[in-house]
Amino acid sequence: AVIAAMVRRLLRPGWDVVELNNIPEASRTPRIVRAVCAEAGYRTLTTKQFVCPTLLIAGREEEARTVFNKPSLRRRENGLRRGGRVACRHLKAGDEILPYLDSFFDQHVARWKDGRRGPSLFTDNRNRAFYRELTGALSKRGWLLFSLVELDGRAIAFHYGFDYDGAVMWYKPSFDVSHASKSPGLVLLRNIIGYALDNGRREFDFTVGDEAFKARFTNASRRTVSVRVYKSPVRYLLDAARDRATRVMKTLSRGHFALRTSR
């Protein structure tokens, strides 16, 4: 009822195309949106967007424990421990997290300075202010999970993530680039998986993006979809034709690649 009411409010006068992005494919939301729009006489177009890898835990605990105990992860952690005293902490209280945020921001800025992915969002003080406000709001509800790895009492890796509705969610990592050779990010990742296992979470959701490293630590994947609502039937037909052409080209491209590699 809430989703339907929101969609009806969006479909007030003054719009041409309404686009709703990154909706979980398994969610009821796309179906509700399509039904509400059909009642109002509007056409919709649903397209697949992003792959979302995840480590399912509930009912697959042995698989998840195998990921946690991967030799590559244990080797990184043991190597870090040989260099000093290592501790990993998972914080949920805002007053514990806030003192670390400036270090987290600075690490993220330094990590993104190579220019390959553009500057860090934390070069903008408005984003830093937003994250401080977000920390206060989410920590009050118990939805924030801020994790850090310390080496001899100094934080060398952080992760700003979420612990919501039985799922731990991967979101914003950082690490001290001067310790990159010690792989503190992987040590942190292992310990967040351990947190999810120890606290009975049903999954560790790596969220949007199928980066290669995620495949090593997940056992399932889902997709998000986009739902576009059209006022103009002509605009709908043009976009639908364009989407079909794109799918055909991708299929042909994959078939051509398979043919070439099989020779």
Side-chain angles (χ1 to χ4, degrees), residues 53-108:
T54 189
L55 176 64
L56 297 177
I57 298 173
R60 300 172 71 169
E61 288 83 1
E62 188 174 341
E63 286 180 35
R65 186 66 63 178
T66 298
V67 172
F68 173 75
N69 286 317
K70 270 182 174 287
S72 59
L73 291 180
R74 287 191 287 112
R75 187 165 56 248
R76 280 357 186 267
E77 186 160 346
N78 291 336
L80 188 61
R81 290 187 184 280
R82 285 193 293 270
R85 180 172 48 86
V86 175
C88 183
R89 295 195 288 145
H90 305 286
L91 308 179
K92 304 203 71 171
D95 58 354
E96 291 183 308
I97 297 169
L98 286 170
Y100 286 103
L101 288 185
D102 280 332
S103 296
F104 165 63
F105 298 150
D106 291 343
Q107 275 189 11
H108 197 273

Side-chain angles (χ1 to χ4, degrees), residues 68-69 73-74 77 185-194:
F68 173 75
N69 286 317
L73 291 180
R74 287 191 287 112
E77 186 160 346
L186 288 178
V187 175
L188 182 59
L189 173 59
R190 180 174 194 252
N191 279 274
I192 299 173
I193 294 173

Side-chain angles (χ1 to χ4, degrees), residues 52 74 97 123 145 152 160 215 235:
C52 304
R74 287 191 287 112
I97 297 169
T123 56
L145 181 64
D152 291 331
Y160 193 105
R235 176 76 181 272

Side-chain angles (χ1 to χ4, degrees), residues 104-125:
F104 165 63
F105 298 150
D106 291 343
Q107 275 189 11
H108 197 273
V109 169
R111 175 73 179 86
W112 284 58
K113 262 187 179 176
D114 58 20
R116 287 178 295 178
R117 295 170 294 180
S120 165
L121 77 164
F122 298 124
T123 56
D124 189 331
N125 285 328

